[in-house]
C-alpha cells in the first residue's frame, strides 16, 4: 500500500509539473539563481550530469546558460560545477543536489536554461529521477537510468534529433511525449520496446503519422518500460 501511494504521488507530481511548466518552469516564487550565468562563447558540445530528483532543461532567451533552484521544497539545495576542455569547445555541467537520496518526493526541480545557440550536441546523464525538457535548438542525447523523461515539444520549432539512449540493462522507467500539434515532419523510432508498453490515445503512431519525414528530425527511443504519446490539440 505504501508503494502504491508513492506511485500515485509521483504521477500527481508529474502531472502537476507538466501543467505548471506549460508556460514556464515550476517556481517556488524565489527562483533562486544557483550559479553565475555562463556565456555560450565558442562552446560546441554540452554535457549535463545531475543526481537531482528532478531537473528541467529548456531553451532560454539569452546567450548564456542560466541555473535556478525552482524546487517547491526550499530546504532542497543545489550546487553547480562547470569544466571545459582545453580549447573551450566542450562544456561539462554537474548539478548536485544535497541529500538527493534522502526521500522520493518530487516537489519541484532544478532548472537549466540553454542559450539561444545551436550546439552540435547536448548530452544528459547522471542519477536524476525525472527529467523534463522542452524543444531545444540542438541535437539532444539522453542516457537512461530507470528515470522518467517528459518531453514537451513544439512541432513548429522541432528541427533537431532527440535520442533516448537506453539499453536492455539500463532502460527508461517511463517516457511521456507531449506535442502541441500533430507533427508532419517527425520520424519516430522505437527500439527494444514492447507494443504493450506503448500508450497512444490520440492514435498518433497509427498509419504514417509517426513515420513521416524521411530526414530530420528523428525522435529515437531505445528501451523504455512505458511510453505515452499525447497531442495537446486533440
Amino acid at each position: 500500500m505504501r508503494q502504491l501511494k508513492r506511485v500515485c504521488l509521483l504521477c500527481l507530481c508529474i502531472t502537476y509539473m507538466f501543467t505548471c511548466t506549460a508556460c514556464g518552469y515550476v517556481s517556488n516564487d524565489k527562483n533562486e539563481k544557483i550559479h553565475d550565468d555562463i556565456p555560450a562563447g565558442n562552446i560546441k558540445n554540452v554535457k549535463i550530469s545531475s543526481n537531482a530528483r528532478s531537473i528541467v532543461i529548456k531553451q532560454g532567451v539569452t546567450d548564456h546558460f542560466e541555473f535556478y533552484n525552482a524546487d517547491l521544497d526550499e530546504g532542497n539545495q543545489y550546487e553547480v560545477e562547470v569544466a571545459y576542455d582545453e580549447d573551450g569547445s566542450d562544456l561539462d555541467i554537474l548539478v548536485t543536489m544535497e541529500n538527493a537520496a534522502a526521500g522520493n518526493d518530487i516537489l519541484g526541480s532544478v532548472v537549466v536554461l540553454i542559450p539561444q545557440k545551436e550546439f552540435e550536441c547536448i548530452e544528459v546523464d547522471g542519477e536524476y529521477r525525472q527529467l523534463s525538457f522542452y524543444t531545444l535548438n540542438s541535437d539532444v542525447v539522453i542516457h537512461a537510468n530507470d528515470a522518467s523523461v517528459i518531453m514537451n515539444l513544439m512541432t513548429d520549432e522541432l528541427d533537431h534529433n532527440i535520442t533516448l539512449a537506453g539499453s536492455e540493462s539500463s532502460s527508461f522507467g517511463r517516457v511521456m511525449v507531449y506535442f502541441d500539434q500533430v507533427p508532419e515532419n517527425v520520424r519516430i523510432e522505437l527500439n527494444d520496446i514492447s507494443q504493450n508498453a506503448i500508450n497512444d490515445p490520440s492514435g498518433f503512431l497509427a498509419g504514417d503519422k509517426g513515420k513521416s519525414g524521411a530526414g530530420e528530425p528523428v525522435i529515437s527511443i531505445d528501451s523504455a518500460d512505458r511510453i505515452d504519446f499525447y497531442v495537446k490539440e486533440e
Side-chain angles (χ1 to χ4, degrees):
M1 180 63 68
R2 181 176 300 175
Q3 183 65 26
L4 178 60
K5 289 182 178 178
R6 286 182 177 178
V7 172
C8 292
L9 178 60
L10 176 59
C11 292
L12 286 172
C13 288
I14 289 173
T15 302
Y16 170 75
M17 284 191 63
F18 172 68
T19 302
C20 291
T21 54
C23 298
Y25 49 78
V26 175
S27 170
N28 64 358
D29 294 329
K30 282 177 56 178
N31 284 337
E32 176 190 2
K33 186 168 284 192
I34 55 177
H35 194 277
D36 293 338
D37 294 352
I38 299 174
N42 66 339
I43 297 170
K44 297 180 180 178
N45 296 289
V46 180
K47 182 174 182 179
I48 302 172
S49 302
S50 181
N51 71 335
R53 296 173 193 163
S54 178
I55 182 169
V56 172
I57 300 174
K58 65 180 301 184
Q59 196 70 60
V61 296
T62 72
D63 58 354
H64 289 72
F65 292 89
E66 300 177 57
F67 308 90
Y68 293 91
N69 177 358
D71 201 318
L72 298 177
D73 184 346
E74 297 187 11
N76 291 335
Q77 298 297 314
Y78 302 88
E79 182 176 321
V80 177
E81 300 177 38
V82 298
Y84 299 85
D85 66 349
E86 291 183 358
D87 63 3
S89 62
D90 291 350
L91 171 65
D92 285 352
I93 299 172
L94 175 62
V95 182
T96 304
M97 178 182 182
E98 294 182 7
N99 300 319
N104 293 315
D105 295 344
I106 297 177
L107 300 176
S109 302
V110 59
V111 178
V112 180
L113 300 185
I114 304 297
Q116 285 284 345
K117 173 182 176 177
E118 183 179 17
F119 299 97
E120 291 183 5
C121 183
I122 297 175
E123 184 178 5
V124 184
D125 201 351
E127 299 177 356
Y128 59 89
R129 302 184 192 177
Q130 177 177 293
L131 168 66
S132 301
F133 79 92
Y134 294 71
T135 315
L136 301 179
N137 294 339
S138 310
D139 285 354
V140 178
V141 177
I142 300 172
H143 296 282
N145 60 351
D146 297 324
S148 296
V149 176
I150 305 170
M151 292 188 275
N152 303 285
L153 304 177
M154 305 290 289
T155 58
D156 290 342
E157 301 174 7
L158 186 57
D159 297 319
H160 293 81
N161 296 336
I162 300 171
T163 302
L164 272 61
S167 65
E168 184 175 347
S169 60
S170 180
S171 64
F172 292 95
R174 184 175 185 182
V175 176
M176 286 171 280
V177 185
Y178 294 88
F179 292 105
D180 64 326
Q181 59 185 341
V182 176
E184 300 295 337
N185 64 330
V186 176
R187 187 167 78 251
I188 306 294
E189 295 181 352
L190 304 179
N191 304 304
D192 297 326
I193 297 172
S194 168
Q195 189 65 36
N196 293 332
I198 301 172
N199 178 39
D200 179 28
S202 65
F204 166 69
L205 296 178
D208 294 328
K209 282 185 178 180
K211 301 177 182 178
S212 61
E216 295 182 337
V218 176
I219 299 176
S220 177
I221 304 174
D222 301 334
S223 297
D225 296 339
R226 175 172 176 146
I227 301 179
D228 299 280
F229 288 95
Y230 298 101
V231 179
K232 297 179 192 175
E233 67 175 10
E234 299 181 355

